[in-house]
Amino acid sequence: MKGYNVLYPMGFHLTGIPIIAQANKIKENDPDILEDFKSFGIPQEEIAKMGDPLYMGNYFAKSARESMRRAGYSIDWTRSLTSIEPSFSKMVEWQFGILNRKGYLVQGKHPVGWCPKDQGAVGMHDTKGDVEPEIEKETAIKFKVEGTDYSILCATFRPETIEGVTNLFVGDFTYVTCRSGDEAYCMSAEGFEMLRHQISLEKTGEISGRELQGRKCINPANGKAVPIYPGYFVKQDVGTGAVMSVPAHAPFDYVALERLRKSGYNVDVVPVSVLQIPGKEIAGAPALAYLRAVNADENSSDELIEQATKLEYKEESHMGKMTIKGYEGMNEPAARDKAINELKSSNAAIEIYLLINEKPVYCRCKTRVVVKLVDNQWFINYGDEKWKGQVREHLKEMRIFPEKSRSAFESAVEWLNLRAVARAQGLGTRFPLDNRFIIESLSDSTIYMAFYTIRNLIANVDPSKLKTEFFDYVYLGIGDPNGVSKATGIDYETVKKCRESFSYWYKDTSRHSALELVFNHLTMHLFNHVAVFPRENWPKQVVVNGMILIEGEKMSKSLGNIILLSDAIKRYGVDSERFVAVASTDLFNDSDFSEAAVNGIKERFEYLNGVCESLDAMGTSELSQIDFWLYSKLNAKTDTVGRAMDILDLRTVSTELLYNTVIELRRYSARGGSNAMVMRDYITNVVLMLQPIAPHLSEELWHKLGNTSFSSTESWPSPDLSMVNAKVELQEGLIDSVISDAKQVAQLMSKKQGKKPKSITIITPSPWKADLMNSLAEHRDLGKAIEAVAKENRAEASKIAAGLARKLNEVKRAELSGDEEFSSLSSAQEYLSGILGCDVIVEKEPESKSQRASRAMPLKPSIDLSY
RNA sequence: GCAGGGGUGGCAGAGCUUGGCCAAAUGCGACGGGCUUAGGACCCGUUCCCUUAGCGGGUGCGAGAGUUCAAAUCUCUCCCCCUGCACCA
């Protein structure tokens, strides 16, 4: 409608593991998935074939495509692609060749969830119950046990409290001693099993927890010997099965010591505090204070102690200041970094990775998942400073909608660092540098949009011919079509057309995607474009949007509120469905799909339809004030919608086009407006502007208006701003405010005295009052303003002015003259009397005999009810 | 915890960039009235409190403090919610 050629393609991302996991579930006749698929309306015989992941992928792609077609998306399906087709893989391989040449592919260590039995990485889809293994880095501090050659490893999240360690806790279970290079460690048997996938460990012996209890070990921070005690809460499979005890700052530690004492154990330690909260200094052990704060003591349940722990950790981390030497005044996070560095550099601690899921994570094969530090993982190095810098710069030039999400992109650019790129399993493209791996599924889809520009042209080209030379030429302009044709065996015409198509389309691109993809896909797509393409083909615009909610809730299986696009269309109609998706939100937020909202929209569609059908029965006469008012509204609306469209502020577009339109049209006809020409002009623009959101409705109404073309091929309407008439709107506004005032008074009287007015007299102010106000507004000078008033009115003028003296600065100009007020109101006399339900008389103050006449002020005529 | 975004009336949701015209658009809901055999739809009105011939006053936009003649809007602190946090699409 704005005269541009637009390419709107759509593809299907089938890469990854979930689709394989789903297919496997089908093969295993998993009742849940069979039930789900059935509820999606998939025929039984189709479900049966979905043990094949490819079949499943294609089935859903086909059905999605059909829904989108029905929803009226003007997608060019000839260019549709899937991310696992061989020709697409050729492009991805080419892309990774470039990343490699630029040095952006690096190899290194990486922690992953790992199944020791399968000898493979496990993600969410490989675990029992589909839980994501949550891996966290912790500091494991070495406490050398006196009289031995080994150190007990204690994993902790708060190494900065090490000066407060008074003892260690171990459990009544089996510990193993082991060697790692020159080091000798001691940890629980389960801890050993976990850790040996991260560091090389060689078992040298076993020792029971009881044997350790009673011994002493050395706190590496200060060289002091601290005792080892039994800890009732220590678990063999959490961390290393040994805990450093900081009774001053850890309620569990405090409680454990108290319980030992009570049971007669000789506990010979005093809590040592290492930080205080300014203004809330607590003597002795803060942990005790926090226990008391939640009404807990040493006999309380673990849950209650856990509460105290959370409270203490939170407050201390937030407000605490370190008090120990070398750390004075530091806040906890900073102290933590410093402590970790010092402990590591003095070889007193190592960093380990632990699964922090609340419950143990199991692989589908029932083996407990551990963390493995794989050392040959390939990464894309988004941390490369030069690369980051280029993206940073380019981002500044991009259009981001909504603009407020730019900050999310800015931090995403800074935050992205190494991204593991190779996976052992799943659908996708083989990793060119190591064929055993598949390219991870977000990394293979960063430049796929470029493929749309040529997908239709190479539909019949043998994928093996899609060599580097081809993509170099088409995407980068390297070489010439002749040479490329010879090198690849692709015919000259195709090569040439591909390059032309890419050059034509890939200059002003807009990418729409979901908000939650900003921190991965969307920003990665920026990085990869910058790495691969010449500057002119870098992304120009990104639009992010929220999700669709159903009656305020997220769509989810458990809520049973999933509505398929195809069903929504059937149930509510295409355009209502389209409209509700954009009407209830701006891009950034989730939009709510509620029955009430859809019905409201449908009703208004009906109203517009009715207006279009009624036009033929109406006549055309000379334009009156209300006609100018509607023209004013129309052109303001056209302007507003046009601007909102430019920044994709679809909420404004939809409220303006539907809700406000209906309000305005209703007021127009209530006010006596009945000019067919005016209404036709008005509705014509509205119908055209509705085209992008409600195309079917737009076309239908367009034809009802007597047109034979398509509204979608018409030009987008442009506003005539000279028709936007502030004065007329003010005049109409005056009428509205008189109505509301008169109603209010009438109502008060009817409530109080039960009588209804016989007639209402509206008295417009004497012209000099407007002059008075204008002078006050302009000069803010009482005397000057009063002097300007004719002598006979001065007494009254000074009364008015005196009343305004205190708010002199707030006095506003009277934008309408007394005569204008009178003519507006008297022309609306019939309307007023209809709405107010009695006779209405409009008169000017000087001619009025009413006692209330003198109350008339500019834009606030006096209203006199007679009974 | 870190990063980003939020917290507005019974609900949803504008307004916040550029402080005043904001007791706060619009929609929904609720209540009262009209229309109707009745329901739906539709139309009118009310919907923070007090007060009232349309005035005026109070409270008020997560909590607290500050800047200002003036704050939903600017600054600071805190609380809460949503999203993401990497091999997972």
Side-chain angles (χ1 to χ4, degrees):
Chain A
M1 295 178 86
K2 291 206 165 185
Y4 297 105
N5 286 330
V6 177
L7 174 58
Y8 180 15
M10 178 70 69
F12 297 94
H13 192 220
L14 305 183
T15 316
I17 303 158
I19 192 169
I20 291 186
Q22 297 293 72
N24 285 339
K25 282 186 190 167
I26 296 267
K27 268 193 218 154
E28 294 159 9
N29 283 317
D30 180 302
D32 288 345
I33 194 167
L34 293 177
E35 189 49 46
D36 284 349
F37 278 25
K38 224 171 109 188
S39 74
F40 293 156
I42 303 169
Q44 197 59 49
E45 65 272 19
E46 293 288 351
I47 298 178
K49 295 181 207 160
M50 289 190 189
D52 173 10
L54 271 180
Y55 189 88
M56 189 193 296
N58 288 328
Y59 178 86
F60 281 113
K62 206 175 121 203
S63 95
R65 180 171 155 172
E66 181 55 22
S67 297
M68 290 178 190
R69 200 185 61 75
R70 284 178 182 276
Y73 300 175
S74 45
I75 290 166
D76 181 348
W77 289 108
T78 65
R79 299 164 183 275
S80 183
L81 59 87
T82 79
S83 63
I84 56 170
E85 59 191 39
S87 54
F88 183 81
S89 285
K90 283 289 173 188
M91 181 189 76
V92 174
E93 285 167 18
W94 169 80
Q95 172 192 2
F96 273 77
I98 292 179
L99 294 179
N100 188 36
R101 272 200 301 284
K102 297 208 167 184
Y104 295 153
L105 297 181
V106 297
Q107 240 180 334
K109 290 190 179 183
H110 192 68
V112 292
W114 184 264
C115 172
K117 186 171 163 231
D118 294 349
Q119 286 289 305
V122 278
M124 186 172 88
H125 303 282
D126 310 308
T127 61
K128 266 172 82 176
D130 283 347
V131 289
E132 179 80 44
E134 290 177 61
I135 299 169
E136 196 117 342
K137 198 193 261 184
E138 284 192 59
T139 310
I141 300 174
K142 305 171 188 173
F143 288 85
K144 180 85 184 294
V145 181
E146 278 187 351
T148 74
D149 62 341
Y150 52 78
S151 301
I152 294 180
L153 273 185
C154 289
T156 178
F157 284 114
R158 297 177 93 195
E160 68 281 7
T161 61
I162 187 161
E163 286 280 358
V165 171
T166 57
N167 62 291
L168 256 49
F169 285 121
V170 298
D172 288 342
F173 37 77
T174 307
Y175 286 76
V176 303
T177 56
C178 54
R179 301 206 70 84
S180 173
D182 295 340
E183 303 276 341
Y185 298 131
C186 176
M187 65 193 82
S188 68
E190 285 77 4
F192 173 79
E193 280 306 314
M194 282 284 279
L195 224 52
R196 68 191 188 87
H197 298 281
Q198 295 176 35
I199 51 181
S200 74
L201 288 179
E202 192 188 327
K203 185 168 165 181
T204 54
E206 286 189 0
I207 183 169
S208 74
R210 276 182 198 281
E211 284 178 73
L212 291 167
Q213 292 162 12
R215 296 198 189 190
K216 292 200 163 191
C217 57
I218 306 297
N219 182 342
N222 51 25
K224 287 182 189 154
V226 294
I228 303 172
Y229 292 151
Y232 77 95
F233 62 91
V234 180
K235 306 214 165 34
Q236 62 258 54
D237 56 359
V238 174
T240 53
V243 171
M244 65 181 219
S245 164
V246 188
H249 299 289
F252 270 107
D253 298 348
Y254 187 89
V255 166
L257 289 175
E258 284 306 302
R259 288 192 187 179
L260 280 179
R261 255 194 203 111
K262 284 266 166 72
S263 69
Y265 204 92
N266 177 26
V267 176
D268 179 25
V269 302
V270 182
V272 178
S273 165
V274 302
L275 76 161
Q276 289 284 1
I277 296 169
K280 194 178 169 181
E281 282 84 1
I282 299 164
L288 178 59
Y290 284 99
L291 282 164
R292 292 207 174 121
V294 299
N295 287 320
D297 60 23
E298 70 271 14
N299 298 316
S300 297
S301 66
D302 283 1
E303 287 75 35
L304 207 53
I305 302 170
E306 180 65 29
Q307 253 187 50
T309 304
K310 281 195 174 142
L311 189 64
E312 174 161 18
Y313 282 16
K314 190 178 183 181
E315 288 201 353
E316 291 186 339
S317 160
H318 206 260
M319 299 179 275
K321 297 279 181 227
M322 302 295 290
T323 53
I324 53 162
K325 220 178 106 201
Y327 288 81
E328 293 95 338
M330 290 178 84
N331 61 25
E332 216 182 351
R336 184 168 306 154
D337 290 343
K338 183 171 152 122
I340 291 173
N341 281 333
E342 285 179 2
L343 288 166
K344 270 164 65 183
S345 62
S346 64
N347 197 29
I350 57 173
E351 276 183 337
I352 62 171
Y353 296 90
L354 294 176
L355 286 176
I356 56 158
N357 300 63
E358 277 191 23
K359 291 179 182 164
V361 181
Y362 293 97
C363 175
R364 286 191 180 280
C365 75
K366 300 195 174 98
T367 310
R368 180 118 181 231
V369 172
V370 301
V371 182
K372 181 177 168 71
L373 207 52
V374 296
D375 56 9
N376 57 351
Q377 174 61 278
W378 282 96
F379 298 91
I380 302 179
N381 183 14
Y382 294 117
D384 185 287
E385 236 341 285
K386 203 179 133 215
W387 194 7
K388 226 186 238 307
Q390 280 179 295
V391 177
R392 207 183 279 137
E393 286 307 307
H394 176 59
L395 185 60
K396 286 183 192 157
E397 324 228 307
M398 283 181 68
R399 293 185 299 274
I400 308 278
F401 294 123
E403 177 61 30
K404 66 179 161 182
S405 57
R406 182 181 295 278
S407 53
F409 278 95
E410 285 167 351
S411 42
V413 169
E414 301 309 320
W415 174 78
L416 273 181
N417 191 7
L418 293 174
R419 184 176 181 93
V421 71
R423 291 242 34 181
Q425 44 174 327
L427 295 182
T429 302
R430 297 254 156 218
F431 186 63
L433 275 60
D434 188 339
N435 259 309
R436 291 172 301 170
F437 295 110
I438 306 278
I439 292 173
E440 175 274 323
S441 47
L442 283 188
S443 299
D444 80 346
S445 55
T446 55
I447 63 163
Y448 71 89
M449 318 84 202
F451 202 58
Y452 288 131
T453 63
I454 60 169
R455 174 62 179 81
N456 55 333
L457 302 172
I458 57 164
N460 297 319
V461 172
D462 177 356
S464 67
K465 292 181 179 171
L466 299 173
K467 297 177 182 165
T468 304
E469 292 86 347
F470 172 77
F471 290 110
D472 277 349
Y473 174 66
V474 172
Y475 287 158
L476 309 179
I478 297 170
D480 63 278
N482 227 330
V484 172
S485 175
K486 273 182 194 144
T488 60
I490 305 169
D491 66 276
Y492 173 86
E493 273 305 313
T494 300
V495 173
K496 199 163 158 266
K497 271 193 202 153
C498 284
R499 171 69 186 159
E500 282 165 4
S501 173
F502 173 77
S503 307
Y504 181 76
W505 290 115
Y506 219 66
K507 283 205 167 126
D508 202 2
T509 56
S510 179
R511 167 127 199 84
H512 294 232
S513 194
L515 181 57
E516 49 261 63
L517 296 187
V518 170
F519 279 84
N520 47 54
H521 166 75
L522 284 171
T523 304
M524 285 160 68
H525 124 280
L526 297 186
F527 270 93
N528 281 276
H529 274 81
V530 164
V532 171
F533 293 105
R535 185 177 286 269
E536 59 175 11
N537 300 312
W538 291 357
K540 300 296 185 300
Q541 172 174 311
V542 173
V543 183
V544 299
N545 53 261
M547 298 292 197
I548 300 235
L549 303 178
I550 304 295
E551 305 289 349
E553 302 269 16
K554 272 197 167 182
M555 274 199 224
S556 85
K557 232 162 52 178
S558 59
L559 290 170
N561 63 351
I562 293 179
I563 302 181
L564 302 178
L565 177 58
S566 52
D567 292 340
I569 292 169
K570 269 186 221 148
R571 214 182 305 169
Y572 305 106
V574 175
D575 283 3
S576 315
E577 194 282 328
R578 291 172 63 111
F579 211 95
V580 76
V582 298
S584 62
T585 185
D586 62 25
L587 287 167
F588 208 53
N589 290 308
D590 293 341
S591 87
D592 193 10
F593 186 94
S594 74
E595 194 113 358
V598 184
N599 290 336
I601 287 165
K602 284 174 91 164
E603 280 160 23
R604 288 173 177 80
F605 282 176
E606 289 296 337
Y607 183 86
L608 295 183
N609 183 51
V611 170
C612 290
E613 288 179 349
S614 69
L615 282 179
D616 287 342
M618 292 166 59
T620 296
S621 54
E622 204 178 319
L623 297 181
S624 65
Q625 177 169 306
I626 191 61
D627 296 317
F628 283 113
W629 175 82
L630 194 65
Y631 270 130
S632 179
K633 287 287 179 191
L634 168 62
N635 285 289
K637 180 191 302 292
T638 308
D639 186 43
T640 305
V641 170
R643 287 167 194 276
M645 215 52 171
D646 284 345
I647 58 167
L648 291 164
D649 178 0
L650 298 181
R651 174 195 281 279
T652 300
V653 170
S654 54
T655 48
E656 196 53 57
L657 282 183
L658 200 59
Y659 295 93
N660 291 352
T661 291
V662 171
I663 289 170
E664 285 157 17
L665 283 172
R666 281 186 177 149
R667 187 179 188 282
Y668 175 76
S669 62
R671 217 4 218 104
S674 61
N675 191 316
M677 180 189 81
V678 177
M679 282 185 89
R680 186 178 294 276
D681 285 348
Y682 183 93
I683 198 86
T684 295
N685 270 17
V686 169
V687 164
L688 286 174
M689 291 190 289
L690 274 170
Q691 164 60 227
I693 302 179
H696 307 84
L697 177 79
S698 173
E699 296 294 357
E700 172 138 11
L701 297 187
W702 184 246
H703 280 248
K704 284 199 174 158
L705 288 170
N707 301 293
T708 51
S709 63
F710 286 111
S711 65
S712 55
T713 56
E714 292 295 313
S715 292
W716 184 262
S718 51
D720 177 356
L721 292 177
S722 68
M723 293 295 277
V724 177
N725 189 331
K727 183 156 266 181
V728 163
E729 297 205 20
L730 201 63
Q731 284 171 315
E732 288 297 315
L734 176 67
I735 293 167
D736 288 343
S737 77
V738 164
I739 289 170
S740 102
D741 284 353
K743 273 186 175 171
Q744 195 172 337
V745 176
Q747 202 166 350
L748 276 168
M749 292 308 280
S750 102
K751 251 187 212 165
K752 270 186 159 176
Q753 304 176 16
K755 54 186 186 179
K756 291 192 169 175
K758 283 203 185 76
S759 71
I760 296 176
T761 309
I762 297 163
I763 304 134
T764 60
S766 299
W768 63 264
K769 287 184 175 173
D771 299 339
L772 176 71
M773 299 304 279
N774 290 342
S775 168
L776 285 172
E778 216 168 295
H779 306 295
R780 312 271 174 219
D781 184 328
L782 292 178
K784 211 172 182 180
I786 293 166
E787 268 170 41
V789 176
K791 260 195 185 150
E792 65 269 27
N793 296 321
R794 281 210 192 134
E796 205 188 335
S798 63
K799 257 190 215 164
I800 296 171
L804 292 168
R806 281 173 72 192
K807 295 179 177 174
L808 193 56
N809 282 325
E810 291 168 30
V811 172
K812 295 213 169 67
R813 285 187 59 85
E815 301 290 353
L816 294 179
S817 72
D819 285 346
E820 283 167 334
E821 290 198 29
F822 179 78
S823 71
S824 293
L825 288 167
S826 52
S827 78
Q829 195 169 350
E830 238 174 85
Y831 172 63
L832 288 165
S833 108
I835 285 201
L836 296 173
C838 65
D839 285 346
V840 170
I841 303 143
V842 181
E843 49 191 37
K844 294 181 177 174
E845 182 184 341
E847 281 115 57
S848 175
K849 295 195 179 70
S850 165
Q851 301 219 310
R852 306 186 64 84
S854 65
R855 293 177 63 118
M857 287 296 291
L859 294 180
K860 198 82 184 169
S862 175
I863 298 166
D864 193 359
L865 281 62
S866 39
Y867 293 89

